[in-house]
Amino acid sequence: MRTTKSAIFVITLMLIFSILIANVTNILNHEDSYIVGGKTKEKHFSSRRAIPQITDTVDNLIWFLQISDIHISIFRENSRITEFREFCHLTLDVIKPTVVLATGDLTDAKTPDNIGSQQNKGEWEFYKDVLKEANVLNKTIWLDIRGNHDNFNVINFESPQNFFTNYSIQGKEHPRSYLYQIEKNGVLYSFLGVDACLKPGPRRPFNFVGLLDNQEIDEIKLLIEKVEESKSDHTVWFGHFPTSCIISQSDGIRSLLRTLDQGMVYVCGHLHTLGGLVSNMYTLQKDGFLELELGDWKDNRRYRLMAIDHGLISFTDVGHREWPVVLITNPKHALFVIPEKENIESIANSTHIRILAFSMSKITKVQVNIDETGWHACIHKNGPLYVLEWDPSIYRRGLHHIKVFVKDELNREKTISQPFSLDGTRLSFELLPRIALMGNVSIIFKGVFYVFLVLLLLPIISYRFTHKLVIQGKMRKPVMRKGLLKSWIRKMWVLSSIDRLFWPIVLYPIYLSFGPWSVGYIIEDHIGIVFPWGTFVNGSFLPGSFTYAYGTLQLLALQLQVLILANGVDYRFRYHVSKPGLKKSFWAHISLNLPFAMLMILQIIMAYLFWLAYGTMAFVLGPLRTWSVILTGVLWHIALTLPEKCTREAAMVWNTKSEISIQTDDNVNDSNVN
């Protein structure tokens, strides 16, 4: 029987591990190389024109900027607004982009305590005023779109909280997804924005993952048809949420992006470099397009320079006030080649190296060095374009490195280096960015929740089952040496044998797996009901996703609760079995009750934060947070006041003094008094 129980436990762990491995393998099982010269799937260029040879002209070239997660706030860090004003005044004047993509979270929308969330008119006024003062609309085409912060506490488009409509550039004409097309030098460029904000938009924290309902998907399909009918040459998708953070009710977001042959890249924000863990979050999706997440303006002051040069897309992420800004457009960076969207042979057939260089003062020097063979001066052609004639046949095989040095009149210097390849040799994207962008956070959040649920319930249920078998004489009690392991096995075993503790410990986590978790004002003056699998509010259903991540924190607290209760129950058990009872010193009482006190403080803080986020009703009618505090206190009181009759069954198994020896519990500093 012992073998059977162990086998079940091992099989369960193997199943969980296999699921995780399968998902990671699915992400990593991606072709990282391709072959040129007729064997790769080349881009099907528009019938409007053929892509000419890459030479030294400024034709077939466009450059634009992306800025994301600005988080304009009137409560904290005024430099966000000050430096955003500098970006709109100075950076745009220097770079002169054709387009600026502002990909969401334009405002912070947090309350002064940094916990609650609601739209703040003052923040939107700052956003609008900065753009107006900088005369942005006369400098460039500003394409902004909403992020989840811009949607906090917004019940619908007619809501007085929906400031995006009146204070953004595109909001009045394009409140959701939209298409903007630009023709330059006979080349048609399409910029297709995807708005995946929840509809309606709850307050934080249940507003982290985006959603494309069937209505929005149909709207995007209409935009795709317009792109195809116009025979657009190049399409850039943009939005706030990475594709991994978007739930779709029918066609997945990636399948929509795959629809357009000329859809080269999807740029987004939202993840903020994952707290600094992933500073550069890029990947090539299996559906054949690049996905590029941009680090935030809020904390990192980043923006992105992008260019489409003769059908090849290149980019660089730049820190604010970092000059010069340099981008090599030919030869393209080997990591970011898009085999199904770009004709890589155009690099092999090109006549010139091409570089875009910008600075606050006049650029005096641009030099190129390939494979450390010496520096060569570039020629300035027009605007930011610098070129150098080259013979690409020298670099036909393998991976090579190009280095560019740029200097301006104020002696500010920038040196960049990137690999390139003409025969299909490529590099692999880093693991964490691939997982973050190619995965599905909804599945991950849900999977982690249920894994922790199993890890919480499986041990105590196993001990309960084993205990019953031992009592019935169908199984022998495990024989182990004295020590810390045996001590904690006894503690968990005793806890599982006491009905008044076992059933609440088991049933409450099971309840959390289906809910409801809370009832309260989820959005404005609208009462909603939160379940782990979704939220009902104002006649709408928002599928659960981040709710599972939120619930996982509660399961972690419950895991601590089980360990603390096991320690308390074991103390009471030994009190009854070791007659006339145990007397504990002052420090022993502290060591027994301190973990419980710390757990209670933690749960009270989490309940308080929930109250700040959703109000009094949600706090009172909150089984997830508030009621768990009460349950924890009640169970601890039960554990420390258990009558002897409740421990008799456990004593039938753990009934010898050697098994409950105080020597195995030095951590509580008990002492027997005869």
Side-chain angles (χ1 to χ4, degrees):
M1 183 62 66
R2 186 186 312 171
T3 303
T4 302
K5 184 187 71 170
S6 301
I8 293 174
F9 181 74
V10 171
I11 291 172
T12 303
L13 289 180
M14 289 178 61
L15 180 61
I16 295 172
F17 184 73
S18 298
I19 293 173
L20 294 175
I21 291 297
N23 280 276
V24 173
T25 302
N26 184 51
I27 292 173
L28 297 181
N29 186 22
H30 183 55
E31 189 64 44
D32 278 329
S33 62
Y34 61 94
I35 301 174
V36 297
K39 295 185 180 180
T40 184
K41 179 181 178 182
E42 297 181 356
K43 177 180 175 181
H44 297 286
F45 295 110
S46 167
S47 59
R48 290 163 50 92
R49 61 175 184 81
I51 297 293
Q53 185 182 33
I54 300 176
T55 59
D56 60 350
T57 68
V58 294
D59 297 335
N60 298 287
L61 172 65
I62 185 177
W63 62 90
F64 52 97
L65 298 180
Q66 180 196 359
I67 185 171
S68 191
D69 298 273
I70 306 169
H71 286 264
I72 289 177
S73 173
I74 62 175
F75 299 117
R76 53 193 63 86
E77 200 178 4
N78 293 331
S79 61
R80 268 184 232 168
I81 300 176
T82 303
E83 296 183 31
F84 178 59
R85 184 178 287 111
E86 289 181 12
F87 173 83
C88 293
H89 279 276
L90 303 178
T91 305
L92 295 190
D93 287 343
V94 173
I95 297 181
K96 295 180 174 59
T98 303
V99 172
V100 175
L101 305 175
T103 52
D105 281 2
L106 310 174
T107 64
D108 200 40
K110 292 182 183 177
T111 53
D113 56 25
N114 204 32
I115 298 171
S117 56
Q118 62 183 20
Q119 297 303 307
N120 192 303
K121 186 177 180 180
E123 295 175 346
W124 284 100
E125 289 175 338
F126 267 115
Y127 176 72
K128 184 176 182 179
D129 290 345
V130 168
L131 298 181
K132 184 178 181 180
E133 291 169 8
N135 201 22
V136 164
L137 294 185
N138 289 327
K139 297 178 181 179
T140 186
I141 299 168
W142 189 276
L143 303 181
D144 46 19
I145 199 165
R146 297 187 303 165
N148 57 313
H149 280 249
D150 307 317
N151 191 42
F152 284 161
N153 200 36
V154 177
I155 190 68
N156 52 40
F157 294 129
E158 292 72 34
S159 167
Q161 289 281 306
N162 185 27
F163 296 117
F164 177 79
T165 300
N166 295 320
Y167 289 89
S168 68
I169 300 299
Q170 299 295 330
K172 189 174 292 294
E173 185 177 354
H174 305 297
R176 291 282 290 185
S177 303
Y178 64 95
L179 171 67
Y180 199 101
Q181 294 185 306
I182 304 162
E183 185 164 355
K184 186 174 181 181
N185 297 325
V187 182
L188 184 61
Y189 302 91
S190 297
F191 294 87
L192 207 163
V194 176
D195 186 328
C197 288
L198 297 177
K199 185 173 61 176
R203 297 176 177 136
R204 64 195 301 261
F206 301 137
N207 195 344
F208 178 79
V209 175
L211 170 67
L212 290 179
D213 58 22
N214 291 330
Q215 179 182 357
E216 193 64 24
I217 289 175
D218 290 339
E219 290 294 326
I220 295 174
K221 288 181 177 179
L222 291 177
L223 298 177
I224 292 174
E225 290 178 5
K226 291 181 180 179
V227 173
E228 293 175 335
E229 291 171 358
S230 66
K231 298 181 180 179
S232 175
D233 296 291
H234 310 292
T235 299
V236 174
W237 295 81
F238 67 99
H240 178 67
F241 299 93
T243 59
S244 60
C245 297
I246 298 178
I247 303 172
S248 299
Q249 292 186 347
S250 56
D251 294 346
I253 176 63
R254 291 171 188 153
S255 65
L256 288 175
L257 298 178
R258 183 181 61 221
T259 303
L260 287 172
D261 284 337
Q262 64 271 52
M264 309 170 71
V265 64
Y266 175 71
V267 297
C268 58
H270 187 53
L271 294 181
H272 293 249
T273 70
L274 291 180
L277 291 176
V278 187
S279 57
N280 298 313
M281 203 175 305
Y282 321 127
T283 195
L284 179 64
Q285 293 286 359
K286 294 182 178 181
D287 297 282
F289 62 90
L290 275 179
E291 181 164 353
L292 310 174
E293 197 268 357
L294 173 62
D296 57 280
W297 179 269
K298 173 188 174 184
D299 298 316
N300 296 295
R301 301 294 192 272
R302 287 191 185 180
Y303 66 94
R304 174 174 290 154
L305 169 65
M306 305 188 72
I308 301 176
D309 189 2
H310 290 77
L312 302 175
I313 190 161
S314 303
F315 73 97
T316 181
D317 290 350
V318 186
H320 182 55
R321 297 174 178 168
E322 292 182 5
W323 300 101
V325 175
V326 184
L327 176 60
I328 304 170
T329 64
N330 186 59
K332 180 177 176 175
H333 197 301
L335 182 62
F336 303 113
V337 169
I338 317 172
E340 296 186 5
K341 306 289 184 177
E342 297 173 321
N343 184 357
I344 195 64
E345 293 243 0
S346 62
I347 301 177
N349 296 327
S350 64
T351 62
H352 288 76
I353 295 170
R354 296 166 64 88
I355 299 161
L356 298 179
F358 308 85
S359 189
M360 296 285 289
S361 56
K362 183 179 179 180
I363 291 176
T364 58
K365 183 182 294 184
V366 177
Q367 295 180 318
V368 170
N369 185 340
I370 299 180
D371 293 341
E372 302 297 337
T373 56
W375 292 97
H376 303 275
C378 295
I379 300 173
H380 179 222
K381 290 300 294 184
N382 191 5
L385 180 62
Y386 292 79
V387 299
L388 175 65
E389 191 171 1
W390 77 324
D391 181 6
S393 63
I394 301 174
Y395 312 102
R396 279 284 184 180
R397 296 185 179 277
L399 197 66
H400 303 273
H401 289 81
I402 180 171
K403 187 181 295 185
V404 174
F405 172 80
V406 177
K407 185 178 181 180
D408 66 13
E409 282 184 334
L410 297 181
N411 292 322
R412 287 176 295 206
E413 300 177 354
K414 174 68 70 66
T415 301
I416 66 170
S417 177
Q418 69 184 43
F420 70 92
S421 168
L422 305 183
D423 67 349
T425 303
R426 291 192 64 198
L427 303 174
S428 295
F429 290 90
E430 295 179 0
L431 177 60
L432 285 180
R434 294 174 74 170
I435 292 176
L437 297 178
M438 299 180 73
N440 185 318
V441 298
S442 297
I443 294 177
I444 292 173
F445 289 157
K446 188 174 182 179
V448 170
F449 176 85
Y450 283 107
V451 166
F452 275 91
L453 181 65
V454 170
L455 293 178
L456 173 63
L457 297 179
L458 185 61
I460 193 169
I461 292 176
S462 298
Y463 284 119
R464 174 85 171 194
F465 180 68
T466 304
H467 176 76
K468 293 298 183 183
L469 293 179
V470 172
I471 292 297
Q472 296 170 7
K474 298 179 180 179
M475 177 180 175
R476 292 185 178 182
K477 185 185 70 174
V479 178
M480 294 173 291
R481 297 179 179 178
K482 297 179 182 180
L484 184 62
L485 177 61
K486 182 176 181 179
S487 173
W488 275 102
I489 288 177
R490 186 190 69 243
K491 292 176 182 182
M492 293 292 294
W493 189 303
V494 173
L495 176 65
S496 69
S497 69
I498 299 172
D499 289 347
R500 63 184 67 183
L501 292 174
F502 173 81
W503 290 112
I505 289 174
V506 170
L507 294 180
Y508 179 65
I510 293 176
Y511 168 80
L512 292 183
S513 67
F514 59 86
W517 285 357
S518 184
V519 178
Y521 290 99
I522 305 302
I523 306 173
E524 295 182 3
D525 298 323
H526 298 270
I527 294 177
I529 305 177
V530 179
F531 296 86
W533 38 270
T535 301
F536 292 94
V537 58
N538 194 39
S540 300
F541 173 70
L542 304 177
S545 180
F546 192 72
T547 46
Y548 286 106
Y550 198 72
T552 299
L553 297 178
Q554 188 65 31
L555 293 180
L556 288 173
L558 292 177
Q559 185 65 69
L560 293 175
Q561 181 188 72
V562 169
L563 297 176
I564 292 170
L565 284 175
N567 195 49
V569 166
D570 184 65
Y571 158 71
R572 191 65 178 173
F573 171 70
R574 290 181 292 114
Y575 174 86
H576 290 304
V577 175
S578 301
K579 297 180 180 181
L582 296 171
K583 290 185 178 180
K584 302 178 71 66
S585 67
F586 171 78
W587 293 110
H589 278 288
I590 292 295
S591 64
L592 178 66
N593 290 283
L594 182 61
F596 163 75
M598 295 176 65
L599 176 64
M600 282 293 288
I601 292 172
L602 174 64
Q603 294 206 349
I604 290 172
I605 290 174
M606 290 194 298
Y608 173 69
L609 295 178
F610 193 81
W611 173 65
L612 291 178
Y614 290 112
T616 303
M617 178 184 290
F619 176 80
V620 174
L621 302 178
L624 176 70
R625 289 286 187 251
T626 310
W627 296 8
S628 69
V629 176
I630 299 173
L631 179 63
T632 298
V634 170
L635 292 181
W636 184 245
H637 174 74
I638 293 175
L640 295 187
T641 58
L642 276 176
E644 183 179 2
K645 63 180 181 179
C646 292
T647 63
R648 288 173 184 168
E649 198 172 275
M652 295 172 61
V653 179
W654 303 90
N655 59 355
T656 66
K657 288 189 176 182
S658 62
E659 289 174 334
I660 58 173
S661 172
I662 297 170
Q663 294 177 1
T664 64
D665 298 284
D666 290 337
N667 60 314
V668 295
N669 299 318
D670 290 335
S671 60
N672 271 325
V673 177
N674 295 324

